[in-house]
Amino acid sequence: MGFLDRLLSRRTYDTLFGPLHVICMPNAQGERVRIMELAGTFQSASLEGERWAELPFEYFRSFDALFQAERSGHTMDRVLLLGGGGFAWPKHALTTHKRLSLDVVEVDPCIVEIARKHFYLDRLEEGLAKAGEGDRLRIFCEDGAEFLQRSTDAYDAIINDVFQGTTVPEHFTTENFFALVKDRLNSGGIYAQNVVTDSSREGAYELFKLMNALNGAFNHVNILDATDAEFGGADNYILLASDAEYPFA
């Protein structure tokens, strides 16, 4: 069965980055999955129904490696996520880690509204407000690099999940950007970068070029294979960089 044969529904919205498609299709277990498709790639997803806060993609689950640092005494109470998309990881992280506060920067307010309408962000916000914990999630609609430049807040971890198609925008991969990230991290803080590539020589070169840039900014860089066998059309890797050394699994 081809990809198009599995589609159950499809809606299209205009965004800053072109047409965004909200599609629904079954996973291997027959569960309905809502997927945010933009520029020909899957940007985010959510299971429907009671499992709305669970993570359907492997690379989302890989971000949880950050919490392994708590075994070494590093707190993970305040995190910044650049690139909100469908808010898949924020839903999971805020419902499973009750001490966590999360700032999310998404440049396109239209995408935030799509997340509320189709990806249960509204349910997350309503649940936090009902519990008197609405301040655990703050959403900013602006460029992530510009947010870091103007912000004076410090974070235990910063996650970069910003993409244009399958490419990280160039101004999020420069020495100046990584220096800015370090300035916003608490002592022992961790920077996590999602990277989408392929098995070609060019793909491997781009991955290791980014790793070398991070090695120039941080004392330790780890790489996690986060490729999704079912929904991944390319290879996903999570780069974890810090001046502290952590035993990531």
Side-chain angles (χ1 to χ4, degrees):
M1 179 181 293
F3 169 76
L4 292 177
D5 295 325
R6 297 172 62 191
L7 290 183
L8 301 175
S9 66
R10 178 181 179 132
R11 297 184 181 183
T12 302
Y13 299 88
D14 292 326
T15 72
L16 290 175
F17 307 102
L20 182 152
H21 306 292
V22 178
I23 63 178
C24 181
M25 60 190 298
N27 62 14
Q29 292 73 43
E31 301 167 299
R32 292 171 63 97
V33 181
R34 296 180 190 177
I35 298 173
M36 179 180 287
E37 181 190 18
L38 183 63
T41 61
F42 291 171
Q43 301 286 338
S44 190
S46 177
L47 292 163
E48 290 191 349
E50 294 182 358
R51 297 178 62 193
W52 62 275
E54 296 185 24
L55 296 172
F57 287 179
E58 180 61 31
Y59 92 83
F60 291 137
R61 295 189 286 270
S62 296
F63 284 145
D64 275 4
L66 293 171
F67 296 105
Q68 296 176 19
E70 293 180 323
R71 303 171 188 169
S72 302
H74 179 63
T75 60
M76 197 60 64
D77 293 341
R78 190 135 190 250
V79 174
L80 170 65
L81 172 63
L82 306 179
F87 284 72
W89 192 77
K91 291 183 303 182
H92 157 77
L94 289 169
T95 54
T96 57
H97 297 273
K98 300 301 183 180
R99 295 191 318 178
L100 178 67
S101 293
L102 186 62
D103 287 350
V104 181
V105 181
E106 169 57 55
V107 68
D108 191 347
C110 180
I111 291 179
V112 175
E113 290 307 310
I114 292 170
R116 289 191 173 106
K117 184 174 182 179
H118 293 290
F119 294 92
Y120 301 101
L121 173 58
D122 59 340
R123 184 176 297 186
L124 174 65
E125 291 175 319
E126 290 167 5
L128 292 173
K130 186 176 181 180
E133 301 174 353
D135 58 348
R136 290 179 59 210
L137 173 63
R138 299 194 303 173
I139 300 173
F140 302 87
C141 291
E142 60 184 289
D143 179 84
E146 293 178 0
F147 174 85
L148 282 175
Q149 288 177 337
R150 72 165 183 80
S151 175
T152 58
D153 293 331
Y155 298 92
D156 300 312
I158 296 175
I159 302 173
N160 186 350
D161 195 24
V162 176
F163 282 93
Q164 292 177 348
T166 60
T167 304
V168 180
E170 188 173 350
H171 67 291
F172 286 93
T173 62
T174 65
E175 291 182 6
N176 288 339
F177 175 75
F178 294 144
L180 190 58
V181 166
K182 287 192 68 171
D183 284 343
R184 300 295 177 266
L185 286 172
N186 289 321
S187 177
I190 304 167
Y191 173 66
Q193 170 104 41
N194 181 26
V195 181
V196 180
T197 184
D198 55 41
S199 57
S200 68
R201 179 177 297 179
E202 293 77 11
Y205 171 76
E206 291 301 322
L207 176 63
F208 284 101
K209 184 171 73 171
L210 183 55
M211 288 182 66
N212 284 335
L214 284 171
N215 271 313
F218 295 90
N219 292 334
H220 304 278
V221 178
N222 296 268
I223 182 168
L224 304 180
D225 186 349
T227 301
D228 193 287
E230 181 176 3
F231 289 106
D235 296 332
N236 264 92
Y237 297 95
I238 305 298
L239 301 180
L240 299 170
S242 179
D243 282 342
E245 186 174 9
Y246 297 110
F248 294 113

